[in-house]
Amino acid sequence: MRVLVTGGAGYIGSVTTAMLLGAGHDVTVLDDLSTGHRDAVPDRARFVEADVRAAGDVLARERFDAVMHFAARSLVGDSVADPADYWHTNVGGTTALLDAVRAHGVGRFVFSSTAAVYGDPAAIPIRETSETRPTNPYGASKLAVDHMIGSYATAYGLAAVSLRYFNVAGAHAGLGERHARETHLIPLVLEVARGLREHIVIHGTDWDTPDGTCIRDYIHIADLARAHLLALDAAVPGRHEVCNLGNGTGFSVREVVDTARQVTGHPIPSREGPRRAGDPAVLVAAAEHAAEFLGWRPELPDLAGIIADAWAFHSAPGTPADTAPGER
Ligand code: UDP
């Protein structure tokens, strides 16, 4: 298929682009490089440096079978402190994109949604039918887009799938996580192991969990990206399917730090800090729907393996992970 990937210079978008190319698809990446890296875009993909709101220009020039939409603001803490960009980029950007998709007759749409739409869930594991009560503007903006996509699918016949990611980590095909300002647990822990930080701060040790720290469901980037290719094929005109993507197993912050100590052989000192605004205590997926609808099953569910792949990426000599903040 001819696929337009928005946000294809970012972590998840670039790995998915590499997999799409590997599967024989024809890929154009659209990214404004506000948080992505030009050198993360695989060579065989065409690249357009532009805001997602300009996607209409690309869709007008040539025919596309599908759009995969990753371009977004995606940090929970930032969205609480400065929500404007989250509404403008995530909701405004997607509105413009969906209108262009409709205007130019693109049939398929796969969206990067998130477990943050569920907020502090009443029951674990979280199903797609669970109540959605996001605890931060990031999750709220993604939920608004899920609703928007659903209505476009029903009214205009779009074949759409929203994939609700739990905590993505690891690396694949030489592509990994490298944010100019890192806030995610696993890359930060690995920065401590590389000697770039003195310690990791645990955000809250008074949560209602067995060891007092937050529990998350960590999923390998390769498993996650593979689900996007399956979604492309499984999408049905006039339907909007929503699938959780997780392993169904939760690990606490302390367990992640301990596992990283084992994987890296570094003591990784930790300090206890206050809770981070917008964090729910526990997020663990029920991913049966992804198994049924997409035929997807995680192949790399082992936390130590996920961290080992991230570690191989971050500790490789001359790794792109060494890119200084702000550099591309
Ligand atoms: N976390 C932490 N210290 C850090 C970064 C994250 O304790 O320096 C915690 C965070 O509060 C959350 C978990 O690790 O409970 C996963 O956070 P991350 O930012 O990786 O992903 P999120 O769950 O926000 O998508």
Side-chain angles (χ1 to χ4, degrees):
M1 286 189 223
R2 294 175 69 95
V3 186
L4 177 68
V5 177
T6 75
Y11 171 45
I12 301 171
S14 64
V15 173
T16 307
T17 295
M19 263 191 206
L20 284 166
L21 291 165
H25 296 285
D26 182 281
V27 184
T28 298
V29 165
L30 177 113
D31 197 301
D32 66 1
L33 299 181
S34 55
T35 54
H37 304 268
R38 177 66 183 91
D39 65 10
V41 179
D43 289 342
R44 281 189 292 136
R46 275 181 297 281
F47 179 69
V48 179
E49 184 174 345
D51 187 282
V52 66
R53 294 170 194 84
D57 298 341
V58 180
L59 297 178
R61 277 201 297 273
E62 42 183 310
R63 238 203 103 60
F64 284 88
D65 303 298
V67 169
M68 284 200 183
H69 181 36
F70 297 93
R73 297 280 166 258
S74 64
L75 301 177
V76 167
D78 270 12
S79 80
V80 176
D82 189 7
D85 203 15
Y86 282 74
W87 294 108
H88 284 290
T89 302
N90 295 2
V91 179
T94 310
T95 310
L97 178 63
L98 277 173
D99 284 340
V101 159
R102 188 182 165 210
H104 300 292
V106 180
R108 291 161 195 264
F109 195 83
V110 178
F111 177 59
S112 215
S113 187
T114 170
V117 301
Y118 298 111
D120 237 327
I124 296 289
I126 304 169
R127 301 186 186 284
E128 292 80 358
T129 50
S130 298
E131 206 180 345
T132 44
R133 281 183 307 181
T135 52
N136 53 66
Y138 165 60
S141 69
K142 289 279 181 169
L143 181 60
V145 171
D146 278 347
H147 286 308
M148 201 190 315
I149 296 170
S151 66
Y152 273 56
T154 307
Y156 309 131
L158 189 65
V161 182
S162 284
L163 299 174
R164 290 186 175 159
Y165 312 157
F166 283 64
N167 286 61
V168 190
H172 177 75
L175 298 164
E177 224 169 333
R178 48 186 177 121
H179 302 116
R181 194 168 51 78
E182 191 52 73
T183 64
H184 292 110
L185 180 62
I186 289 177
L188 282 176
V189 164
L190 297 180
E191 284 185 10
V192 180
R194 291 169 70 208
L196 302 175
R197 278 174 198 271
E198 284 185 0
H199 58 267
I200 184 81
V201 177
I202 298 178
H203 295 322
T205 51
D206 58 347
W207 296 95
D208 186 15
T209 59
D211 71 12
T213 67
C214 287
I215 292 177
R216 295 288 182 272
D217 182 339
Y218 294 88
I219 168 175
H220 198 292
I221 181 70
D223 278 334
L224 187 96
R226 196 163 43 80
H228 291 73
L229 274 71
L230 295 170
L232 203 55
D233 288 332
V236 179
R239 265 173 64 186
H240 176 221
E241 287 289 339
V242 176
C243 297
N244 287 343
L245 294 179
N247 286 312
T249 314
F251 293 95
S252 72
V253 174
R254 289 193 205 280
E255 287 173 323
V256 170
V257 176
D258 278 343
T259 307
R261 287 178 179 135
Q262 287 157 25
V263 168
T264 64
H266 188 282
I268 310 183
S270 68
R271 289 202 188 155
E272 300 186 357
R275 292 181 175 192
R276 186 172 70 177
D279 269 348
V282 183
L283 291 174
V284 176
E288 283 84 3
H289 188 56
E292 287 156 14
F293 179 67
L294 303 175
W296 176 83
R297 270 171 200 77
E299 290 173 0
L300 303 164
D302 175 50
L303 179 64
I306 293 173
I307 294 178
D309 283 353
W311 178 235
F313 172 74
H314 284 281
S315 58
T319 170
D322 282 333
T323 307
E327 269 180 36
R328 286 169 190 146

